[in-house]
Amino acid sequence: MTDHSTGTDAEDRPDTDAPTTATDTTSEADEVTEADATTATTEADATSEADEVTEADATTEAAALRRRRRRRRAVRVALAVPLLLVLPVLVALTALRVNYTGDPADGTCTRGKDALWLGHAWVDGRKKDADVTALADRLKDTGIRDLYVHSGPLEHDGTLPGSSYPNARWFISAVHREMPQVRVQAWLGDVLASESPHGMRLERAATRAAVVRSTREILATGFDGVHFDLEPLHSGDRNYLTLLDALHRVTADRDVPLSVAAHQIDPVPGFHSFWGTTTGHPKWWSQKFFGEVARRVDQIAVMSYDTIQPLESTYGGYVAQQTSLALEVTPPTTDLLMGLPFYHENRFGHWNHAETVPAGVRGVRLGLSRTDADRANFGVALYVDFAAEEADWTAYRDGWVR
């Protein structure tokens, strides 16, 4: 069996009763020396193990420190990212709020060149003589000169069935009788296939040619002009400019205006590119492209609503900015109209409490005052008749007609 005191078998142990000899003494000395060496080795091993434990502890502590640092960095980044996103928005909103301050210049009011968008009911048989009379009363002593009456939409191939506007002749005659100073323009439009596979494709020459033919046909009905609203129309669309050149030749031959509804202008240069990359819907036009469009038409109406603004003050400041940007690149011979929201919705992009007629009118007056207070070919366009409330008309009269 095993002797736990020595770690050897008992049968191999020397007889302790045998006499000790010199050889035995030497052997014992050697054994003591070996034992001491073993003890020393054991102590060295223990020291080494202790060092290893110390090093392991240090490694573990360093790893824990690195993890803590990474967590702190992650927290700082998590806090910084929203700040980086929110800060520019706060700066922009503050700038718009400041842009809404000040007093509009005297004389910044209607020039008698305002417009009103009308719904399809006026040309499809739903409206009667009494409605025209009521409309005439509504527009009396205002600055309304043009009525954009919805007469489409165009088909995706550019054609327009005559059945789309069966009562157009009646309406035009009734307006000329009741309001001889007012022009009736055919409001035409369609969804473009710029962001989906469905819609009108302006890159097709045959489609553009069909739009030109449809314009000739509807003008033959007796309209005093034609107003186009094609959306979503991306900034820099050369096919659109080519279409406008062709349409302007038609309207010039008939001595009637070519009018278009225009997207808003980049609030900062290149914003349409950023927004398009982020959302897939560029929405804005570059100021340069806006100017290219304005030079090809007789009248351009900015759709200065659906602006994503959260407050009346920032909306008014935004409209003031848009007015200035548009004035800078619109030829003085082209009528520039700024759109006002005569409708009431709450959704992303349009907040009813923010986009109000009073704020819009004040913004228009401020932008006009700062950029070209004496511009003659200038007005506002009211969108849209069937959604307007009495307060909208009052705000337009008190703020703009004056």
Side-chain angles (χ1 to χ4, degrees), residues 12-25 28:
D12 295 334
R13 185 178 59 199
D15 188 355
T16 55
D17 293 336
T20 302
T21 62
T23 302
D24 292 337
T25 302
E28 288 177 359

Side-chain angles (χ1 to χ4, degrees), residues 39-40 123 147 151 161 166 199 201 213 238-239 363 370 393:
T39 300
V123 296
L147 300 176
S151 306
R201 297 186 176 278
R213 286 194 301 273
R238 309 310 297 181
N239 296 307
R370 294 165 181 160
W393 287 104

Side-chain angles (χ1 to χ4, degrees), residues 153-161 189-193 196-202 204 206-208 210-211 230-231:
L154 293 159
E155 300 292 330
H156 291 342
D157 63 0
T159 59
L160 179 65
D190 192 21
V191 175
L192 298 179
S196 76
H198 307 292
M200 180 181 289
R201 297 186 176 278
L202 292 181
R204 295 176 178 172
T207 299
R208 297 196 302 271
V211 173
L230 300 172
E231 302 180 49

Side-chain angles (χ1 to χ4, degrees), residues 13 44 51 65 77 84 92 129 201 213-214 233 277 283 293 299-300 307-308 326 348 377:
R13 185 178 59 199
D51 291 343
L65 180 60
V77 170
L84 290 173
D129 286 338
R201 297 186 176 278
R213 286 194 301 273
S214 297
L233 184 62
T277 301
K283 183 177 173 65
V293 173
Q299 188 178 69
I300 186 166
T307 62
I308 323 179
F348 178 77
N377 293 321

Side-chain angles (χ1 to χ4, degrees), residues 82-93:
L83 184 62
L84 290 173
L85 295 175
V86 170
L87 187 59
V89 173
L90 292 177
V91 170
L93 292 177

Side-chain angles (χ1 to χ4, degrees), residues 13 99 136 141 152 187 191 217 233 272 279 343 349 371 376 380 389:
R13 185 178 59 199
N99 206 37
D141 298 326
W187 170 13
V191 175
E217 292 167 1
L233 184 62
H272 69 279
T279 68
Y343 64 101
T371 313
V380 297
E389 297 180 356

Side-chain angles (χ1 to χ4, degrees), residues 379-400:
V380 297
L382 319 177
Y383 181 85
V384 57
D385 74 305
F386 55 80
E389 297 180 356
E390 194 61 39
D392 300 324
W393 287 104
T394 300
Y396 162 66
R397 286 177 176 275
D398 292 348
W400 182 246

Side-chain angles (χ1 to χ4, degrees), residues 128-152:
K128 307 301 178 185
D129 286 338
D131 297 306
V132 177
T133 300
L135 180 62
D137 290 340
R138 169 69 75 186
L139 302 185
K140 186 179 179 181
D141 298 326
T142 68
I144 301 295
R145 180 183 63 168
D146 287 293
L147 300 176
Y148 306 140
V149 58
H150 191 268
S151 306

